[in-house]
Amino acid sequence: MSYIEEIRKSAGEYAKWALETRKEYLNLRLRANTEIKKIYQNAIKQIEREIKLLAYKSGSAYLKKQHLEALKESLEIEATKLSDKLGNVIKGYIENAVEAGAAYSQNILIDLVKKADAGINTAIIKKAFSNINRQAIEACFARTRKGLRLSDRIWRQGQNFRDTISEIIQTSVAIGQDAVKTARMLEDYVNQGAETLAKNYPKMMERMKGRIPKDIKYEALRLARTEISAAFGEGTIAAATFSPSYKGMKWVLSKSHPLVDICDSLANHEEGLGRGVYSPGNEPPYPAHPNCLCALLPVHEEPEKFVERLKKWVNNPESDSELEEWYNKIYKEAAKFTEKPKYSNKEQARDFLLKELGFREVSFAGLDDDVSAMVTQNIEKIFEEKTYLKGFINRLTTKGKEMKSAYAQSMISFGEFHYDTELSISRENMKSIEKVQEKYQHDLLYNFHPDGTDENAIILHELGHFIEYKLALLTSNTLKEAYEKIRKHEVAELIMNYTLDKCGIEPNDKETIKKELSGYACYSAAEFMAEAFAEAMNSQKPRKVAKVFLEVLKEFEKEVFKP
């Protein structure tokens, strides 16, 4: 039986969707390959131009040692640009791969509930799958391999590019090769690999003695293939697990296996569900190796049987405990996130903040309605728990280009007999949810903000600052004392030091703080507090530092508010 025939047979009535999902996955890998190759080609073209320009300015056809310093700077710039572009490309394809993997189970579930006319809202199902996909994407960004995060592995590609091209240029200078020939050689190497150099530039290759990789693009392409495949697997498993018709995960062996390997073992796995089928919760890691082309295929209950189950359950919920549990624990939980909010546009959000949460002035000018609602939801959520914040923030405003480097900003200012507070939102970076999500996901990729968080953490971060301000005021006898506490971040520093001490981390151990919380948390005690609060309140699975921080904060609050 051919590979496609096995997918078609295993998927049954769902074969069309299974094959469409498979096709999209393979296309993603091919498109990523093309884009990554182009990134390298563009980078080397820029270096070529620099080489030729240096030679032209010096009035010599040959590169000299004094040119190496200028080229070193150019290489550093191109390496950074290459890493950034690779990061954006791989991030985009990870998101697309998760969605492609999830599409099969999503299509099946929506089709089944429609056939059963079970009164289950498909909009809620779609929203649930959207949340599942987002969590799967975050898991992909947070995953480490050999102790390295995805951002670290991408950064290494830029450094490898810099070091390899530098090696070739230095050797060219040493053997007295002219600039035009060196530039052409670099282009040949990037496009066709080291074998071309060995054939066309034998003296050069003899001198370098294998110090450059055969294909400078290989590691980046391999990294992209692995991450796209892993994202596809993450999306496939996460979406299947949400579906009540899910019975197991089948490993379909690709026919592009000239030798027996781990994939053969995975495809022959047996635990009573059929050859190669793994029970829910026991799904195998995917991919099995970087170049794996095997398929993960969720096994769902036969449509007619499942539709019949749904109909019986609708008439008598007690007739099917599995469906009843799914409805109460999974579907209803998802429904909470799709309930109509108290404010669906900026005018309603503004009125809510003014009338219910004690704001004196509110403007969402320049922001879309969904951003205004998101901001308000997060403020409401924290004010419900931290009731001492209600009425504390006087104004919510939006700002333009003066805030182009930030999402939002919390501020407190002091007069002789009063203080004033303001939360500002950037119109440049927070205009639409799509723009916010894209920028925030980019920041997550480079570990600037905490793992497991999303765009909601932006407002939670600022509210973390306001908590610091309020606690400083509550623990001060005068405004002058409060001003000094806030200026020196005394409250934040106290809470940070207690948190780090409990976690066994030194306050000056920036690498560990970056790894266990975020890069931004290393800036100051105030940013540590804001980032830890954001992760604790936003992440589905907050890590140790964020959890301990929340415990320490609650203890501090208890001391402040004790009778």
Side-chain angles (χ1 to χ4, degrees):
M1 186 186 302
S2 74
Y3 173 63
I4 296 298
E5 286 171 352
E6 187 171 358
I7 292 177
R8 188 177 281 119
K9 181 182 177 182
S10 300
E13 288 189 32
Y14 309 127
K16 178 185 175 184
W17 287 328
L19 294 173
E20 283 177 356
T21 295
R22 187 67 188 160
K23 183 179 179 181
E24 176 61 15
Y25 163 63
L26 295 174
N27 282 338
L28 286 173
R29 285 178 46 133
L30 288 172
R31 293 203 299 271
N33 269 16
T34 301
E35 286 192 42
I36 288 170
K37 287 177 180 177
K38 191 153 190 174
I39 288 171
Y40 276 86
Q41 289 165 353
N42 289 340
I44 205 63
K45 281 180 181 175
Q46 182 59 37
I47 297 300
E48 282 183 65
R49 284 193 285 268
E50 291 287 336
I51 289 172
K52 291 175 181 177
L53 183 61
L54 282 171
Y56 173 76
K57 285 182 176 178
S58 68
S60 170
Y62 299 92
L63 288 173
K64 305 292 184 183
K65 285 185 179 180
Q66 62 264 33
H67 296 146
L68 293 179
E69 199 59 39
L71 284 171
K72 182 180 178 182
E73 186 178 341
S74 298
L75 276 170
E76 197 66 56
I77 292 169
E78 287 307 312
T80 301
K81 285 164 62 177
L82 184 138
S83 293
D84 287 345
K85 289 176 182 177
L86 277 179
N88 289 332
V89 166
I90 292 174
K91 178 184 79 74
Y93 278 101
I94 283 174
E95 293 172 354
N96 292 337
V98 165
E99 291 171 4
Y104 180 64
S105 290
Q106 178 176 331
N107 288 336
I108 289 172
L109 182 55
I110 290 172
D111 182 63
L112 290 172
V113 297
K114 283 181 178 178
K115 285 178 178 176
D117 194 21
I120 292 175
N121 190 331
T122 56
I124 291 175
I125 290 175
K126 288 177 182 177
K127 179 64 176 177
F129 276 109
S130 176
N131 290 335
I132 289 165
N133 289 351
R134 191 193 72 224
Q135 291 167 18
I137 290 166
E138 289 168 1
C140 291
F141 291 157
R143 188 185 296 114
T144 60
R145 297 185 192 278
K146 296 181 180 179
L148 294 175
R149 294 163 50 87
L150 175 59
S151 57
D152 297 326
R153 285 176 277 136
I154 290 171
W155 176 81
R156 277 191 169 186
Q157 305 311 312
Q159 303 310 296
N160 291 341
F161 173 84
R162 178 200 65 194
D163 294 345
T164 300
I165 301 304
S166 178
E167 179 74 35
I168 294 173
I169 292 171
Q170 287 184 54
T171 305
S172 298
V173 171
I175 65 173
Q177 185 168 267
D178 71 73
V180 172
K181 191 173 184 180
T182 298
R184 191 187 312 121
M185 182 183 67
L186 288 171
E187 185 176 7
D188 288 347
Y189 171 57
V190 168
N191 290 334
Q192 300 172 51
E195 288 184 4
T196 300
L197 296 192
K199 180 180 175 183
N200 298 333
Y201 310 93
K203 289 182 180 179
M204 170 73 74
M205 291 304 290
E206 183 181 342
R207 191 177 182 96
M208 286 192 288
K209 295 178 182 177
R211 291 198 301 271
I212 62 171
K214 290 182 179 178
D215 184 350
I216 197 171
K217 306 180 297 296
Y218 176 77
E219 285 300 325
L221 293 168
R222 188 173 185 266
L223 171 63
R225 282 196 300 270
T226 302
E227 293 304 321
I228 290 169
S229 297
F232 180 79
E234 192 87 37
T236 300
I237 294 170
T241 304
F242 174 79
S243 178
S245 62
Y246 176 54
K247 294 296 179 185
M249 189 68 65
K250 183 175 177 62
W251 189 282
V252 182
L253 185 68
S254 165
K255 300 308 175 185
S256 61
H257 275 83
L259 298 172
V260 174
D261 63 13
I262 188 174
C263 295
D264 294 84
S265 300
L266 292 167
N268 289 312
H269 170 83
E270 185 61 71
E271 56 176 284
L273 299 172
R275 188 175 67 87
V277 180
Y278 294 75
S279 57
N282 190 38
E283 297 89 353
Y286 185 84
H289 53 81
N291 294 314
C292 183
L293 285 172
C294 295
L296 271 187
L297 183 66
V299 177
H300 289 272
E301 195 171 335
E302 290 180 21
E304 288 183 10
K305 288 183 179 179
F306 187 74
V307 168
E308 190 60 32
R309 273 181 66 201
L310 269 177
K311 287 179 177 178
K312 285 182 180 178
W313 168 77
V314 169
N315 294 325
N316 179 17
E318 294 180 1
S319 67
D320 198 313
S321 59
E322 286 185 10
L323 281 175
E324 183 67 4
E325 183 179 11
W326 175 83
Y327 180 77
N328 286 315
K329 291 187 177 180
I330 299 178
Y331 176 79
K332 277 189 172 180
E333 190 63 28
K336 290 179 184 178
F337 295 98
T338 56
E339 291 174 355
K340 189 174 181 180
K342 303 164 190 173
Y343 26 78
S344 56
N345 57 51
K346 64 180 73 175
E347 288 75 21
Q348 292 173 352
R350 175 182 175 277
D351 289 345
F352 184 83
L353 291 174
L354 291 169
K355 294 174 183 176
E356 303 295 331
L357 299 184
F359 282 71
R360 296 179 189 173
E361 297 175 30
V362 175
S363 172
F364 287 112
L367 306 183
D368 288 355
D369 287 340
D370 49 5
V371 173
S372 306
M374 182 267 284
V375 169
T376 306
Q377 283 167 359
N378 282 292
I379 295 173
E380 180 187 11
K381 171 186 171 182
I382 299 307
F383 278 29
E384 282 178 358
E385 182 176 329
K386 310 291 183 188
T387 52
Y388 58 82
L389 286 179
K390 190 171 181 180
F392 178 58
I393 305 176
N394 293 331
R395 287 188 306 285
L396 188 152
T397 62
T398 64
K399 294 185 177 179
K401 291 182 180 179
E402 67 268 36
M403 272 186 69
K404 64 182 179 181
S405 62
Y407 295 104
Q409 189 175 36
S410 55
M411 290 175 283
I412 184 167
S413 57
F414 287 85
E416 188 176 357
F417 302 110
H418 73 283
Y419 64 84
D420 192 24
T421 52
E422 181 176 320
L423 173 60
S424 300
I425 311 293
S426 168
R427 295 192 294 270
E428 293 282 306
N429 298 315
M430 296 275 285
K431 182 182 186 322
S432 69
I433 283 289
E434 292 77 19
K435 186 169 185 176
V436 179
Q437 288 174 337
E438 180 182 357
K439 184 171 172 55
Y440 195 82
Q441 288 297 325
H442 180 272
D443 288 348
L444 283 178
L445 185 63
Y446 290 96
N447 198 27
F448 192 67
H449 291 305
D451 279 342
T453 61
D454 59 25
E455 64 278 2
N456 290 282
I458 294 166
I459 302 305
L460 295 171
H461 173 104
E462 299 307 326
L463 293 174
H465 286 309
F466 282 115
I467 289 172
E468 179 199 353
Y469 304 157
K470 184 66 175 182
L471 292 177
L473 284 160
L474 290 168
T475 55
S476 300
N477 295 315
T478 64
L479 286 180
K480 185 176 180 181
E481 184 184 351
Y483 168 77
E484 286 299 321
K485 277 188 178 180
I486 292 170
R487 185 178 69 83
K488 296 175 182 177
H489 303 307
E490 288 181 14
V491 170
E493 190 158 3
L494 183 64
I495 292 173
M496 179 186 77
N497 287 340
Y498 268 113
T499 301
L500 293 176
D501 184 59
K502 285 191 170 191
C503 294
I505 302 170
E506 292 293 327
N508 59 357
D509 187 355
K510 303 300 184 186
E511 283 301 313
T512 301
I513 293 172
K514 181 179 180 181
K515 181 180 177 183
E516 299 299 329
L517 187 54
S518 74
Y520 198 17
C522 299
Y523 281 35
S524 68
E527 300 306 343
F528 177 96
M529 182 169 174
E531 288 288 86
F533 183 73
E535 178 174 345
M537 303 307 294
N538 179 233
S539 174
Q540 295 288 325
K541 295 180 180 179
R543 293 167 294 171
K544 183 178 179 179
V545 169
K547 284 191 207 175
V548 172
F549 161 83
L550 206 56
E551 293 168 6
V552 172
L553 176 62
K554 287 177 180 177
E555 285 299 315
F556 191 93
E557 290 169 330
K558 198 181 293 182
E559 284 295 310
V560 171
F561 293 107
K562 73 180 180 181

